Amino acid sequence: TRSRSSRARTRSLHGRCLDAVFEVIQTIDLEGLEADRVYPRQVPVDRDIELPCILVSPVGTETLPAGTFEDTDVGYPVTVWFISANNQDTRVREEELLWREQVIDQFMDLPLLEIRGEAQAWDVQVEPGPVVDPALWREQNLLGGFITLRVQTRKDRGRP
């Protein structure tokens, strides 16, 4: 049987970044949104979820900033989607704008992100996305937008 720390090392670093972001978002007091309405998902779909909700997914592209001789730096995308049923309502939904603002504020003020395993997340950059996706609203009767959190990680290259 593997120990917990051994299991953490067999998981991808990107997956551990997703877990860390998911756990932080669950701790934010978002009025009108319970912590169990934050879901980790591979892609942002409204299956097997309760709306409104927040979806945390690996959608995006990694970045490879210059590391050091001993270390490798990778910026992993963690996309945070804000999704709710809308039925073509054109009114501004203040509550959902506030959730987005609170999540952005939480990660703007977070110096380091705690991730499990041997790597370290030394920075989280907030990359704004659309506040409202008009196609999602028009075609699926959902109100949705997203932000991408770029989790900058550093791990040992294993060089002697």
Side-chain angles (χ1 to χ4, degrees), residues 29-73:
D29 183 20
L30 301 170
E31 187 174 330
L33 188 73
E34 299 299 320
D36 65 352
R37 294 241 186 128
V38 179
Y39 303 97
R41 290 291 185 266
Q42 185 71 22
V43 292
V45 295
D46 63 340
R47 283 183 259 166
D48 302 321
I49 60 174
E50 217 174 313
L51 297 173
C53 70
I54 293 177
L55 305 177
V56 179
S57 74
V59 172
T61 304
E62 299 95 336
T63 56
L64 300 170
T68 67
F69 179 73
E70 295 86 16
D71 299 317
T72 299
D73 289 355

Side-chain angles (χ1 to χ4, degrees), residues 17-35:
C17 291
L18 285 166
D19 290 348
V21 167
F22 170 76
E23 290 168 8
V24 168
I25 292 173
Q26 283 193 309
T27 67
I28 304 170
D29 183 20
L30 301 170
E31 187 174 330
L33 188 73
E34 299 299 320

Side-chain angles (χ1 to χ4, degrees), residues 109-146:
D109 295 337
L110 197 65
L112 294 174
L113 185 63
E114 179 83 26
I115 57 174
R116 294 180 179 90
E118 296 175 358
Q120 47 182 283
W122 52 271
D123 189 24
V124 178
Q125 299 165 349
V126 177
E127 300 172 3
V131 174
V132 175
D133 180 339
L136 194 62
W137 179 81
R138 191 174 41 254
E139 297 162 15
Q140 297 182 36
N141 287 325
L142 294 173
L143 184 64
F146 67 88

Side-chain angles (χ1 to χ4, degrees), residues 99-109 126 128 147:
W99 298 339
R100 180 183 174 96
E101 184 177 314
Q102 289 174 291
V103 171
I104 289 171
D105 289 349
Q106 179 70 33
F107 286 95
M108 293 285 287
D109 295 337
V126 177
I147 60 171

